[in-house]
Amino acid sequence: AGGVKLQQTSFFLAPSSFRQEQSLPFGKVVVCSDGKTGWIQAPQGQIPMSPEILKQAQGTIFRQLVSLLNSSSANAVGEHSVQIAAGDLAVTIEFDAATGLPSRLKYQEAGQAIDETLSDWRDAGGIKLPFKRGLEQGGAHISDVVVSEYKVNSGLKQEEIEKRP
């Protein structure tokens, strides 16, 4: 009923460095991974990522849209869809027939089917990116994400990704 509004800032440095900062009701949480290891900083302290959380971080890194669209391992699985796989990670991208832009991502995470809709495509640093995402998990709507800003090729450094709070 109305949901909760959260603020999140995500950083991605190709090919595999990821940082996410979230302001939650109980405090700030920072998640950082290079795709092989990672850590989480919460109000209770800092801990290394468990294997399950690391697997989710690897999926998030794998599904970075710019990287997916530059992949050379796409296989057509429908008239307007391709599947991209690497090891045990896979995502199906459906494209809008009218615009040619991705409209949906389908993948598995933690044993659940995830269906992510992409919309409100706008220019961001010379490329079009979705400013709205809707998430369904196991057929149930779980969240809507509205992006306020993208920064592309902004000079982000590895040290900034790895910086501990």
Side-chain angles (χ1 to χ4, degrees), residues 65 68-69 79-82 91-107 114-121 128-136 144-145:
L65 198 54
L68 285 176
L69 296 177
E79 186 175 355
H80 300 288
S81 59
V82 297
V91 62
T92 298
I93 306 172
E94 294 180 4
F95 293 88
D96 181 280
T99 65
L101 294 169
S103 59
R104 185 176 309 261
L105 303 178
K106 294 183 176 190
Y107 53 93
I114 306 292
D115 190 339
E116 193 172 330
T117 57
L118 309 173
S119 62
D120 190 19
W121 287 83
K128 281 193 172 189
L129 291 170
F131 278 73
K132 290 185 181 175
R133 293 177 180 245
L135 256 55
E136 288 185 11
D144 291 305
V145 175

Side-chain angles (χ1 to χ4, degrees), residues 12 15-16 18 20 53-71 84-86 88-93 102 104-116 118 121 129-130 133 135 150:
F12 175 66
S16 61
F18 175 76
Q20 191 174 73
I53 300 295
L54 179 59
K55 182 80 174 151
Q56 288 180 338
Q58 290 167 334
T60 298
I61 292 166
F62 172 74
R63 290 186 303 276
Q64 292 299 307
L65 198 54
V66 173
S67 296
L68 285 176
L69 296 177
N70 282 319
S71 174
I84 298 171
D88 59 351
L89 296 171
V91 62
T92 298
I93 306 172
R104 185 176 309 261
L105 303 178
K106 294 183 176 190
Y107 53 93
Q108 293 282 321
E109 186 170 81
Q112 292 283 324
I114 306 292
D115 190 339
E116 193 172 330
L118 309 173
W121 287 83
L129 291 170
R133 293 177 180 245
L135 256 55
Y150 285 102

